[in-house]
Amino acid sequence: TRGVGINFSPALDLCNLAEGNISVMISNGTTPEDHVAGALIVREAGGNVVNFGQTDWSRRNRGIVATNTHSVASKTIQILKNCFN
């Protein structure tokens, strides 16, 4: 990584991701209320959003892995699978 930032606001982090200021956001503890609006913004901007530990995204599940491109998404998900399996 080049840098890690914590804003304590998943919605703000997701807006920064959609804008291109960051490449990846990973959180395994956020609730849907924390990230549902930001996830929509990321998807509309062409990014990728999945639930932590899942292959798809549902607003009902906890945790989120969001990236600003699909190529970064596949690499990030593979790294997470290797770390947690």
Side-chain angles (χ1 to χ4, degrees):
T1 65
R2 191 170 78 196
V4 175
I6 301 173
N7 291 324
F8 299 104
S9 172
L12 177 60
D13 288 336
L14 289 166
C15 288
N16 280 322
L17 187 133
E19 190 175 17
N21 295 330
I22 59 176
S23 300
V24 178
M25 182 206 159
I26 302 170
S27 177
N28 66 347
T30 57
T31 62
E33 294 83 14
D34 294 330
H35 62 251
V36 72
L40 175 63
I41 292 169
V42 169
R43 284 188 154 184
E44 289 294 318
N48 189 54
V49 180
V50 298
N51 289 109
F52 191 84
Q54 306 292 318
T55 58
D56 199 10
W57 184 75
S58 169
R59 67 180 192 275
R60 293 181 179 91
N61 294 335
R62 296 178 62 92
I64 192 169
V65 177
T67 60
N68 57 8
T69 65
H70 292 285
S71 62
V72 173
S74 61
K75 292 174 186 174
T76 302
I77 291 168
Q78 185 61 40
I79 290 168
L80 288 172
K81 284 181 182 177
N82 291 338
C83 290
F84 292 101
N85 288 334

